[in-house]
Amino acid sequence: MPELHVSVGHHRGSFSLDAAFTVARWPALLFGPSGAGKSTLLRIVAGLDRPDTGRIALDNHVLTDTQQHSFHKAGSGVVQLVSQRSALFPHLSVRDNVAFGIHRLLPEEQRARVDEMLTLLGAAHLADRKIDRLSGGERQRVALARALAPGPQLLLLDEAFTGLDGAAKQEILCELTELLARRHVVALHVTHEVADAFAIEAEVFLMRQGRIVAQGPAQDVLASEREQMLKVLG
């Protein structure tokens, strides 16, 4: 699996982002409180925003290099972003939503790719449904299928499973873990929920005030957060 190397600086108003880290395996979670800069960092990696300084690369494939004035375009296919709001097209069927990002393929290739992605994500039976007839978990499966259809090298998940019940979320995360490993896709999942990290035994990058302050297994990096959560629960 390729490695994601990130070293960027970004300043807006009173907020300062200065983050450097390497993602070498999945599951990898970017964890931190609201306002830590998680979504800002993910938007920069996705190519939606440009950093003031820094470099982002997948192994030797440079995505962004401010010194060279080189910036990759969001939605290029190499990097795919899935957020809490799945941004699916309600007037299209599930099949047409998944096919949206692979219109350059021949029709028969499109059909085969869509069928493959929906099957991999346990959503083949939804192919002809409209989006407004799907549950929250089904929508996220379709959003993942659409993101993976172009064959990205990097998948970014921005609070993508917030709002799903615990069982549905854990099922999708476990299935996604196996799928990404098979397809050699680098992934980074942004979350503020401690349970997510422990459920999939993730490598955690802990972010506070725009900086990565710790990295390691969830049981090490998030031990104090888990204790606080258990106290609140009871």
Side-chain angles (χ1 to χ4, degrees), residues 6-24:
V6 178
S7 179
V8 294
H10 192 64
H11 308 279
R12 288 296 180 272
S14 61
F15 178 76
S16 176
L17 174 70
D18 186 6
F21 61 99
T22 295
V23 177

Side-chain angles (χ1 to χ4, degrees), residues 21-219:
F21 61 99
T22 295
V23 177
R25 71 175 186 89
W26 167 265
L29 267 63
L30 182 62
F31 182 92
S34 178
K38 305 185 301 299
S39 292
T40 298
L41 178 57
L42 214 66
R43 286 181 60 84
I44 289 173
V45 176
L48 293 169
D49 293 332
R50 292 184 175 185
D52 296 331
T53 59
R55 188 175 187 270
I56 303 168
L58 278 167
D59 283 347
N60 295 322
H61 180 184
V62 177
L63 300 174
T64 291
D65 188 330
T66 57
Q67 287 190 341
Q68 300 297 322
H69 303 285
S70 174
F71 303 93
H72 75 285
K73 295 182 179 179
S76 63
V78 175
V79 183
Q80 290 289 319
L81 172 67
V82 179
S83 64
Q84 181 181 352
R85 299 182 64 181
S86 57
L88 298 171
F89 301 111
H91 63 289
L92 298 180
S93 68
V94 165
R95 178 179 297 280
D96 289 339
N97 265 279
V98 177
F100 186 80
I102 52 174
H103 59 276
R104 294 182 180 179
L105 297 181
L106 295 173
E108 58 271 24
E109 293 176 328
Q110 285 187 29
R111 286 192 293 272
R113 182 71 60 82
V114 170
D115 288 342
E116 178 190 11
M117 291 300 103
L118 290 176
T119 298
L120 285 171
L121 285 154
H125 62 293
L126 304 173
D128 297 321
R129 289 193 195 177
K130 290 294 181 64
I131 300 304
D132 59 5
R133 294 179 56 201
L134 303 181
S135 68
E138 289 170 341
R139 290 185 185 214
Q140 289 309 103
R141 287 179 184 275
V142 174
L144 287 168
R146 187 174 70 175
L148 290 170
Q153 299 176 45
L154 174 62
L155 178 66
L156 304 172
L157 304 168
D158 189 4
E159 306 279 6
F161 309 117
T162 300
L164 300 184
D165 65 64
K169 180 190 298 185
Q170 186 168 353
E171 181 181 13
I172 293 177
L173 281 172
C174 290
E175 291 173 358
L176 186 61
T177 297
E178 296 178 3
L179 175 59
L180 295 179
R182 291 200 306 269
R183 302 183 74 85
H184 305 289
V185 177
V186 182
L188 183 60
H189 177 197
V190 165
T191 184
H192 65 275
E193 299 187 26
V194 176
D196 289 355
F198 285 92
I200 55 175
E201 300 180 351
E203 178 84 357
V204 174
F205 299 86
L206 179 60
M207 192 171 192
R208 297 191 189 283
Q209 298 180 339
R211 287 160 175 74
I212 303 297
V213 297
Q215 173 186 346
Q219 61 267 28

